[in-house]
Amino acid sequence: MNPIAEITGHKEIIVCAGAGGVGKTTTAAAIAVRAAAGGKKTVVVTIDPARRLASSLGLKELSNEPTQVSKRKFAAAGLDLKGELHALMLDTKSTFDEVVLRYAPTEQQARRIIANRFYRNISGTLSGTQEYMAMEKLYELHAGGAYDLIVIDTPPTRNALDFLDAPRRLTDFLESRVLRWFLLPYVKAGGGFMRFANVAAVAFLRVVKRIVGGSVLDDTAEFFANLDGMYDGFKARARDVAALLQSETASFVVITSPAEESVLEATYFASRLNEAHLAFGALVVNRVHPRFGDGSGATPRQQARLAQGDEAARRLAQLLDNEASFMRIVRLEEKNLKALARKVPRHRWVHVPYLEREAVDLDGLAVIAAHLFA
Amino acid sequence: MNPDMSVDELLNPRIHIVCGKGGVGKTTVSAALALVAARHGRKVCVVEVDRRGSLPKLFGAKSPSYEPSELSPGVWGLNVLQEEALAEYLNVQYHMQRISRVLTSSHFVDYITIAAPGLKDILVLGKIWYLEQDRSADGKHYDFDTIIVDAPAAGHMAAFLSAPMGLSDAVQVGPIRRQSDWLVEMLQDTARTVAHVVAMAEEMPVAETVATSAALHDRLHIAQGAAFVNGLYPKIVGASAERAVEDGSEARDGLIRAGALVNLTLDDGDLDALADYARFLSSRRKIQARHLRALRKGIDQPILKLPFLFSSGIALPEIEMLADDIEQQALEL
């Protein structure tokens, strides 16, 4: 059975992962379109701020809450819609605010954190925050129980594995002992330097104050003071999210191109999923150069003679040159993919060839879905 | 840019910032541009920012250090790591060696990044400023004629280049404030800095390139040189050859006879494969031409076209080829 069809039929969560620029968002959207058409109440979550997903679904824009794609749009594309399709684009900042509101002991404390300038900078600057919030949104949508299937794409990181490690980076940072030890004198003294604080910490605070200014230090102190007592909530939730991803209900789709770096990343990712006890659902190989036959086997000498011959010979030389060029790429891609086959069994593979059109609308997504589910 | 741009004009200001979305081949373009400059007798330094050292690999050299090292004759490389730039800054400005091990720990760097967004970018740009001023931390004089910056991917590019302009209000005084004023001057001076955008002839990369170009113009006020388009399939097969190989064409037999003359036996299956590849090439070229037109409509600067490389990897010979292409097209512009 086609692996994409299999997991779409049986799972509640599909996470699309892969290096940047290999077609993650489009794959996620195409899977969701097909699942919705087939009768599932589906939501697709995108991290990519590109407007293209919205417009390809016929929506003006996406927000942090699901927007439904109308049945009319499906009908216009000649698709029968038995289920429902909703789409949302992750807003890291609002999702983080929701998390703070949930774990703060009082609403007042949450409001103080949300208004804090140091806090406001976190979601835009600390790497890992976006990944953490993506997982948070996923958990929330799943716990809400409103959907049969959630398809989520992962942030466009340089390294496809970042989203597995990143949530921990945020919680580690918030909990950092070293940082708190250095900031402690400042926090304890309510913004002033404690007289008997350790020497290194005071030196540190002086430098920070010189670089970023005293008001930022005040903001930091207030932020960490307000955050006290919320770590357990963060950590418990992070554990719940990890358990959900490891459960029977979730499956991962890894998207790759046949290019060497992309394949290396996918190979490494496949083994990491394994180690982390995450279910590998399918491998999507995008944009493979097609193989037509085994090559005509012309020697360079024959080619050279043809290139200097009459008109028919020169035409043939061009055609042979073209074939040889593509065959070189085809063989190279095959070699790259063979290495990947050692990690991921072929029956988990799905190929999407070079297509004439890009997926700019529901029609285009349906064409990609036809290949994904073939 | 002047319509009769020559290679010298392409290489005119000293600092070249190469910008583009991840995966469009910024590093390849940076390397090819460096070769062009070196061929014209310039001493070049390519600055990578927080990379895993893909540039030196192109030249068959080892990973570059934090200080410039020569990758190939006339071409130097340098990898600026944000963490190291921060550590160096703290050491130079505040003599923080004593506790610098703690200070360069990831949590501290994260802390500074959040507390003063843009600071790391300013320090990295500062490193470029020092190269331009020929004042390096190791006290050596490099005297680079051309400095090529392989900028961070487009998502981060605007933040990177605008950091000195939008520095957090907190940092209004001190050495950082002074330095960011110098950096704004450096970036916005058309006699010192030019930015080149890199694209691929695909829908998303074209859209992002147009946006990047607009941001450089409207928000960052940085002059723009050329737009490089990577991965264009060359016209290997002419129209008459494409028609001749089609199934049912009378000229098909002529191709088989031409093969027989050089002892190459071709059957109908072989010709079908040749036809399939010719059709594939032509369909990809048509799609690319469409996206190229969209790019041309969206930006003002001249477009330099670089071919798709039918090779097993990119190393010095491929970079040499791309450098040839750049030189030739710069002459024709």
Side-chain angles (χ1 to χ4, degrees):
Chain A
M1 190 183 183
N2 170 294
I4 300 271
E6 185 194 324
I7 58 173
T8 306
H10 294 98
K11 304 287 180 176
E12 292 164 20
I13 294 168
I14 295 176
V15 183
C16 295
V22 293
K24 267 190 307 232
T25 307
T26 306
T27 305
I31 292 174
V33 164
R34 173 64 77 99
K40 297 226 176 225
K41 189 174 175 192
T42 309
V43 60
V44 56
V45 182
T46 181
I47 316 291
D48 199 342
R51 293 195 175 281
R52 197 175 54 147
L53 177 69
S55 65
S56 67
L57 294 174
L59 299 171
K60 262 210 201 77
E61 56 185 3
L62 298 174
S63 74
N64 204 33
E65 295 304 322
T67 309
Q68 187 166 359
V69 180
S70 76
K71 204 171 177 119
R72 206 161 34 81
K73 294 267 164 39
F74 270 77
L79 296 168
D80 189 19
L81 179 66
K82 294 203 190 78
E84 286 177 20
L85 180 60
H86 302 251
L88 77 81
M89 188 174 85
L90 181 78
D91 176 341
T92 307
K93 173 76 172 61
S94 334
T95 310
F96 205 164
D97 292 351
E98 288 162 19
V99 172
V100 168
L101 277 164
R102 184 170 332 113
Y103 295 123
T106 65
E107 199 184 316
Q108 205 188 3
Q109 188 176 336
R111 294 284 162 214
R112 274 202 302 274
I113 292 176
I114 290 168
N116 183 282
R117 190 169 52 170
F118 183 81
Y119 165 79
R120 290 208 307 269
N121 286 345
I122 290 180
S123 49
T125 53
L126 182 62
S127 63
T129 312
Q130 198 183 30
E131 288 83 352
Y132 184 95
M133 295 311 148
M135 294 303 121
E136 183 64 35
K137 196 80 199 176
L138 172 67
Y139 189 87
E140 180 197 311
L141 284 167
H142 187 258
Y147 299 98
D148 303 323
L149 179 68
I150 304 165
V151 187
I152 185 167
D153 94 17
T154 50
T157 44
R158 198 187 302 166
N159 187 329
L161 294 164
D162 283 356
F163 90 94
L164 287 179
D165 306 324
R168 213 183 47 231
R169 184 153 179 204
L170 176 67
T171 43
D172 278 0
F173 172 77
L174 294 176
E175 247 196 341
S176 164
R177 287 225 179 81
V178 174
L179 200 59
R180 287 162 76 73
W181 183 73
F182 273 100
L183 288 167
L184 196 64
Y186 201 79
V187 176
K188 279 279 168 61
F193 290 104
M194 251 173 93
R195 190 175 298 186
F196 302 107
N198 61 73
V199 177
V202 169
F204 164 82
L205 288 168
R206 277 212 190 93
V207 171
V208 171
K209 204 163 187 171
R210 281 293 302 277
I211 299 174
V212 301
S215 67
V216 174
L217 215 42
D218 289 339
D219 288 340
T220 318
E222 189 207 42
F223 172 72
F224 278 101
N226 276 315
L227 208 65
D228 241 354
M230 290 173 61
Y231 303 109
D232 291 342
F234 278 130
K235 271 170 60 182
R237 184 61 160 244
R239 267 199 306 276
D240 291 347
V241 172
L244 176 64
L245 291 176
Q246 285 169 351
S247 73
E248 280 290 296
T249 55
S251 188
F252 285 75
V253 173
V254 176
I255 295 121
T256 188
S257 82
E260 194 182 357
E261 321 86 78
S262 171
V263 166
L264 280 175
E265 201 128 298
T267 310
Y268 187 40
F269 193 58
S271 56
R272 275 295 305 270
L273 283 178
N274 213 1
E275 282 165 29
H277 307 289
L278 298 166
F280 191 107
L283 175 79
V284 175
V285 188
N286 263 328
R287 298 165 151 247
V288 179
H289 279 92
R291 175 189 260 279
F292 303 114
D294 296 321
S296 330
T299 63
R301 213 169 141 249
Q302 285 169 326
Q303 293 241 37
R305 280 178 64 197
L306 285 168
Q308 281 154 22
D310 64 6
E311 199 182 353
R314 288 200 305 273
R315 284 175 184 164
L316 181 59
Q318 291 175 4
L319 292 161
L320 288 168
D321 181 20
N322 184 51
E323 181 189 56
S325 301
F326 277 112
M327 285 304 284
R328 238 182 353 259
I329 294 300
V330 167
R331 292 208 183 91
L332 182 73
E333 290 181 351
E334 284 172 356
K335 190 179 122 229
N336 291 340
L337 293 174
K338 209 169 159 188
L340 189 51
R342 276 181 231 125
K343 281 273 183 264
V344 183
R346 294 269 184 185
H347 68 270
R348 290 267 155 225
W349 291 39
V350 172
H351 289 269
V352 180
Y354 268 101
L355 297 170
E356 287 284 320
R357 290 181 49 226
E358 287 180 72
V360 292
D361 50 22
L362 276 176
D363 276 354
L365 289 174
V367 170
I368 291 179
H371 287 282
L372 288 171
F373 288 77
Chain B
M1 185 174 279
N2 207 316
D4 54 85
M5 178 181 79
S6 65
V7 175
D8 275 339
E9 270 177 81
L10 177 67
L11 297 172
N12 192 10
R14 278 177 76 200
I15 302 173
H16 296 254
I17 302 174
V18 180
C19 318
K21 178 181 154 68
V24 295
K26 275 190 304 289
T27 306
T28 316
V29 168
S30 301
L33 203 54
L35 271 191
V36 172
R39 286 175 184 178
H40 287 254
R42 311 203 178 190
K43 186 174 174 186
V44 199
C45 185
V46 186
V47 182
E48 286 189 286
V49 181
D50 263 338
R51 293 292 167 76
R52 289 178 287 195
S54 40
L55 181 94
K57 244 203 292 189
L58 294 179
F59 289 97
K62 275 187 291 196
S63 287
S65 54
Y66 191 60
E67 296 305 329
S69 61
E70 197 163 11
L71 304 174
S72 99
V75 180
W76 297 60
L78 165 71
N79 191 12
V80 183
L81 301 173
Q82 296 187 330
E83 264 77 1
E84 283 189 51
L86 184 59
E88 180 183 75
Y89 174 76
L90 292 172
N91 280 333
V92 172
Q93 293 291 337
Y94 298 105
H95 310 290
M96 292 295 284
Q97 297 92 327
R98 227 166 11 120
I99 45 172
S100 64
R101 202 162 46 85
V102 175
L103 292 181
T104 51
S105 78
S106 66
H107 287 153
F108 176 76
V109 173
D110 284 344
Y111 172 73
I112 290 287
T113 309
I114 297 165
L119 177 65
K120 284 199 291 188
D121 296 325
I122 287 170
L123 295 175
V124 170
L125 286 167
K127 194 80 186 156
I128 294 157
W129 184 86
Y130 278 103
L131 279 176
E132 192 213 22
Q133 302 294 315
D134 202 25
R135 295 191 222 163
S136 66
D138 59 6
K140 287 188 198 142
H141 288 283
Y142 292 103
D143 225 353
F144 291 118
D145 302 305
T146 303
I147 298 161
I148 296 170
V149 184
D150 187 355
H156 184 59
M157 191 264 325
F160 173 66
L161 293 175
S162 65
M165 297 159 216
L167 191 59
S168 104
D169 335 330
V171 192
Q172 287 298 340
V173 288
I176 293 271
R177 177 74 262 170
R178 224 166 30 243
Q179 193 172 18
S180 37
D181 291 341
W182 294 335
L183 295 176
V184 173
E185 262 173 51
M186 172 182 86
L187 291 172
Q188 297 186 345
D189 186 345
T190 54
R192 292 163 76 190
T193 303
V194 68
H196 307 286
V197 289
V198 182
M200 298 249 278
E202 287 170 30
E203 184 170 320
M204 285 289 286
V206 163
E208 289 199 28
T209 304
V210 171
T212 299
S213 178
L216 283 165
H217 182 267
D218 304 339
R219 283 198 292 124
L220 301 165
H221 309 293
I222 298 175
Q224 291 178 69
F228 292 87
V229 181
N230 263 320
L232 293 170
Y233 288 104
K235 190 170 178 61
I236 307 175
V237 181
S240 73
E242 206 183 320
R243 274 195 306 274
V245 77
E246 279 304 324
D247 199 16
S249 146
E250 281 176 35
R252 217 178 197 201
D253 289 338
L255 295 174
I256 294 179
R257 279 195 300 275
L261 283 175
V262 296
N263 296 322
L264 179 67
T265 318
L266 298 168
D267 59 22
D268 257 344
D270 293 327
L271 286 186
D272 285 346
L274 291 178
D276 285 336
Y277 275 122
R279 237 178 282 126
F280 181 74
L281 175 74
S282 130
S283 109
R284 293 320 302 171
R285 280 177 52 84
K286 264 187 212 130
I287 292 168
Q288 290 190 329
R290 200 173 67 225
H291 294 307
L292 211 51
R293 277 197 298 278
L295 179 65
R296 215 167 256 135
K297 236 190 252 166
I299 61 169
D300 293 329
Q301 58 267 46
I303 291 176
L304 294 184
K305 298 190 253 181
L306 299 176
F308 179 86
L309 298 170
F310 290 96
S311 59
S312 62
I314 299 177
L316 199 52
E318 284 76 26
I319 302 293
E320 298 268 9
M321 263 175 53
L322 295 178
D324 292 345
D325 277 316
I326 293 174
E327 276 184 338
Q328 202 181 348
Q329 290 179 64
L331 288 174
E332 287 164 8
L333 279 168

